Amino acid sequence: MSHHYVKFDHVSYTYPNGYRALDDVSLLITHGQKVAVIGANGAGKSTLMLHMNGLLTATEGQVVIGDIPVTPKTLPRIRQTVGLVFQNPDDQLFMPTVADDVAFGPINMRLPDSEVDRRVDMALKAVGAYDLKDRPGYQLSGGQKRSVAIATVLSMEPDILVMDEPSSNLDPRARRMLMRQIEAFDHTCIITTHDLDLALNLCPRTIVMSGGHIAADGPTPDLLADRSLLERASLL
Amino acid sequence: MTAIERALYELNEIDGYACGSSLMHRLDPRAKTIVTLLYIATVLSFRLDSLTGIMSLWIFPILLSALGGISYNRVFVKSLYVLPFIALIGIFNPIFDRRPALTAGHVVITVGWLQFISICLRGMLAVQASLILVMTTGFMKICHGLRRMGLPAVFTTQLLMVHRYLSVLLKEAASMDCARRSRGYGRRHYTPRLWGIFIGQLLVRTVARAGRIHMAMLSRGFDGNAAIRSTMRWSAADTIFLTACAAAFAIARLADLSRLFNILTLR
Amino acid sequence: MHMADALVSPAVAGAAGAAAIALLATAAKKVKTGTSDSIVPLMGVMGAFIFAAQMINFSIPGTGSSGHIVGGILLGAVLGPWAAFLTLTSVLVVQCLIFADGGLMALGCNVINMAAMSTLVAYPLVYRPIAGRHAPVKPWRISAAAVAASIVGLELGALLVTAETEMSGVTALPWNEFLTLMCSIHLFIGIGEGIATAAVLYFIRSYKPDMLAACREASAEQTHARSYSKAAWIFIGAALLLGGLFTWIASSDPDGLEWSIQSITGSADLAPAASGTVASVLESVQTSTSLLPDYGSTWSGVIGCAIVITLVWIMAALITRKKPAVKKL
């Protein structure tokens, strides 16, 4: 289990329109770490995130998830190992009911029915949304949607959780509940966020991105105390 | 209320009714769908001038909505929306067919008017039946039922997706429309050019959203077949319901219920 | 032009329903699924988009009236014909079930009239040849193609609405007048729809051309335009023929032609329906049981019905009020 590290080895990515979103990014995140990725809009956070799951493939360099390089052939295994929670839960909850949505991943993994049921219950309980099981996704509140979106990924029992702006659009209470949930996970967590307070509270380590490359990588309290760094990264 | 807001309201209303737990709600969607189709077929099989026959079928929507714990008044009001288009076509019958059918004192009702009333009535009854179906079942379960009845999976998945994103896109359109009106300086309508830009924007956003949904699907192992499990089981209650309704419709169709009503009420 | 249940007979509805299901099955085979790059999510969201777009009206210049799109040609241009057909059909189902727009029985008619005519006939046979298939499409070609295809699609639909209503024997309006009425209304609607579609396509072309290009690629595999449009024509022809036959055999409707025969001869006897079909059984049952209309005496029938309905209605209202089974949102 200790193999579940995330390694970016001089990764660059250029979009088809010529925009270079990632520029020579190298990083290593080891098992069980909670890491925040912060940076201004367009700094490359989302592009970075999409690489961890193989939704984008590096134009240069290589992404390795626990000894397995991300290639078209390894995608099914990569996607079971790395769970991606998107920024907008409405994009993640596309099935008729909460239970259908949470079961979507396990069914695609061709698990037997009893195992699918067990995982759906487990994932929903982990985010405190078990009571919402049979509700349609669009009837939920913002906070509930976010919890269920996380459950849809937990049901695949990933080792690494990647979350894009998990606290955006949440009211203070929902945000607090979400932070408590994330705190309780023993997965490797990679969280992209603008919420510096969340980064400080949950993640001992922070990566600051700016213009497609890594501007800084170190202990969160140190980086957030560095005014000039944050100003250079357009975060202040 | 704009058209969008009304649509959102109605969507919510149907969902609200559909999560009830009455006897009707617990029946298999397939049984209810078949019964609804049988009912509409029975209504439509009456001749246009057989007004009493069609009227006698009116009791079924009332009874079934009571059985489903939903307000028949609401069903009735909603079914009125269907009238304008039907009336537009039906109004020609009184114009073309002026033979007298019924007289009450000096007032003569022509065959044409009788047919006009029948057309309106059968339109409303048919709509009421399908409203009761969806209000006691929910769109989602009807789709599952249709899948089990053999409709292609691509299509039923499509239906579920449309239903899922209906409210999302309606809200998006509503907020865009609101933003436009707030800067519209009293202009209430869209010119075709402005409309093209507006709808084009909405379309671009829609396609971008589809891209994100696709990514969310892929990252959870999607391989082209949306996996939906349905735990639908046909029980004895469904068979009884289906048989009872079919029998009741047949009796209403074959025997003249209006005579029975006469005996019950007038004598 | 949503057909309501009130305007169709079970035979016509059944025939159109069968044709619609056949088209649906064909479309389900043609639309590429089972691969990870399938257009399932795009179709789903586009269906919801068309529905939302129909809620926003544009004003038609110089007329003071307003219109909205049906969307068949637009869907065709983004998704290709078969996927567009499935998508527009799903919109019709939602409109029918949730918004009581068009009837459940008449759904087959609506699918043929509105979805099939625009996406499977007008789009491949009118829009595509005019707009051309190669990348840089000129604005005037898009506009001309959109307007022409919209008019053709809607006029065909109007023709079918007329045919289905007349074959159902519901309206007393004669064929010619009905057809003239429907076609002239839909000519104007078609022009409006065409201009609107062109406006959106023009925006997309200048703002995000790859969207249309992508769909051209997606539909490039369907270059054998003739083969599938032929299929469409066969289905439509079969539906019309079937519908005609059904009504011919099973009709016992005393309207129109047959009514005059009946009123002349004074008897309601009709050619015995060919046995076997459900419709014919229903119809023969109908003829054997219904009495000759004796209008003078049915007042009591009408009143009796009215009283019973009122009583049942009141009872139902009382029952449903006591039971707050409905969870309001």
Side-chain angles (χ1 to χ4, degrees), chain A residues 32-103:
Chain A
Q33 272 191 335
K34 285 191 168 58
V35 181
V37 178
I38 61 175
N41 292 326
K45 303 189 299 287
S46 295
T47 312
L48 184 79
M49 198 191 78
L50 295 176
H51 274 83
M52 297 186 183
N53 193 291
L55 286 169
L56 290 179
T57 314
T59 36
E60 289 160 45
Q62 199 179 37
V63 180
V64 182
I65 311 286
D67 293 340
I68 308 168
V70 177
T71 62
K73 273 191 181 167
T74 59
L75 281 184
R77 278 186 72 189
I78 296 291
R79 286 174 181 166
Q80 281 177 36
T81 313
V82 183
L84 209 56
V85 183
F86 286 79
Q87 181 176 355
N88 185 346
D90 267 328
D91 298 339
Q92 182 124 13
L93 306 179
F94 42 78
M95 297 290 277
T97 65
V98 166
D100 288 332
D101 254 317
V102 180

Side-chain angles (χ1 to χ4, degrees), chain B residues 102-118:
Chain B
L102 292 175
T103 50
H106 297 291
V107 186
V108 176
I109 294 179
T110 61
V111 174
W113 278 111
L114 209 63
Q115 291 178 344
F116 175 74
I117 297 168
S118 295

Side-chain angles (χ1 to χ4, degrees), chain A residues 4 15 24 59 75 90 107 117 120 144 149 152 159 174:
Chain A
H4 294 116
Y15 277 99
D24 194 24
T59 36
L75 281 184
D90 267 328
I107 293 176
D117 291 336
V120 169
Q144 290 171 333
T152 64
D159 298 292

Side-chain angles (χ1 to χ4, degrees), chain C residues 90 99 114 116-117 151 157 177 274 327:
Chain C
S90 70
F99 300 97
M114 295 166 85
M117 287 302 127
I151 292 175
E177 281 80 352
K327 228 189 302 169

Side-chain angles (χ1 to χ4, degrees), chain A residues 16 18 50 81 141 163 177 179 186 196 210 218:
Chain A
L50 295 176
T81 313
S141 73
M163 286 178 260
M177 279 179 55
M179 283 171 62
D186 46 13
L196 302 185
S210 171

Side-chain angles (χ1 to χ4, degrees), chain A residues 53 55 79 86 88 90-97 101 104-105 107-108 110 117 138-139 152 156, chain B residues 15 140 160-161 163-165 167-168 209 212-213 215-223 225 227-229:
Chain A
N53 193 291
L55 286 169
R79 286 174 181 166
F86 286 79
N88 185 346
D90 267 328
D91 298 339
Q92 182 124 13
L93 306 179
F94 42 78
M95 297 290 277
T97 65
D101 254 317
F104 185 84
I107 293 176
N108 283 333
R110 308 273 185 272
D117 291 336
Y138 57 89
Q139 282 181 0
T152 64
M156 297 180 74
Chain B
D15 286 331
M140 219 170 68
L160 290 170
M161 287 279 289
H163 183 248
R164 167 68 185 85
Y165 283 99
S167 56
V168 174
R209 180 185 292 280
R212 295 196 302 271
I213 294 167
M215 286 205 291
M217 286 179 160
L218 287 180
S219 73
R220 283 192 270 150
F222 176 66
D223 57 4
N225 301 303
I228 298 179
R229 297 183 306 163

